[in-house]
Amino acid sequence: MSDIRSLEQKRQEALDKANRLKKQIDKKLNGQKFVLGGMLMAIAEHEPDRIPQILADLDKYVTRKADISRLEGFRSEIGNNVPRSTILTSSEPNRTSSDDDIT
């Protein structure tokens, strides 16, 4: 019986250690995400010509409803800072030149 208790105790200690390590990993990852988010916000502020790509990346990579709603204010704010020249350029359809285009 004592062998079983000893094994159960060792098992629980291993689970506790695994949980502590998981928390450390999660904390580190969350810190990295926080820093990357700040960097992305700084890019949007200081390099407005990159805003259309940032918005496209948000559409592509942010898929959870909770995350989408969490970023609504950010999207609105940077969307208002898109330079007009970028809007005109990015809204034009991509065309390839052909002999028909030559006049």
Side-chain angles (χ1 to χ4, degrees):
M1 277 284 201
S2 66
D3 288 341
I4 293 175
R5 285 188 192 151
S6 176
L7 289 174
E8 287 177 354
Q9 185 178 5
K10 286 181 182 180
R11 178 182 170 273
Q12 188 59 48
E13 289 170 359
L15 288 173
D16 292 344
K17 182 176 181 179
N19 285 333
R20 285 192 303 275
L21 290 173
K22 184 181 180 324
K23 285 181 184 179
Q24 288 177 350
I25 292 168
D26 289 347
K27 185 175 180 180
K28 185 175 181 178
L29 287 173
N30 285 337
Q32 290 173 344
K33 290 175 186 178
F34 186 81
V35 171
L36 287 170
M39 179 194 73
L40 187 61
M41 293 173 84
I43 289 170
E45 181 180 346
H46 298 291
E47 299 180 43
D49 56 313
R50 293 176 65 181
I51 291 173
Q53 183 61 52
I54 292 170
L55 291 171
D57 289 341
L58 285 173
D59 289 339
K60 183 176 180 179
Y61 295 107
V62 180
T63 56
R64 288 182 46 218
K65 285 186 179 186
D67 294 339
I68 292 169
S69 65
R70 181 175 282 141
L71 293 176
E72 281 179 7
F74 175 71
R75 286 180 63 89
S76 297
E77 184 177 331
I78 69 168
N80 292 333
N81 295 331
V82 177
R84 286 199 174 273
S85 60
T86 308
I87 294 172
L88 294 175
T89 305
S90 65
S91 64
E92 294 174 357
N94 291 334
R95 293 186 51 190
T96 57
S97 61
S98 68
D99 291 340
D100 295 337
D101 292 336
I102 300 172
T103 54

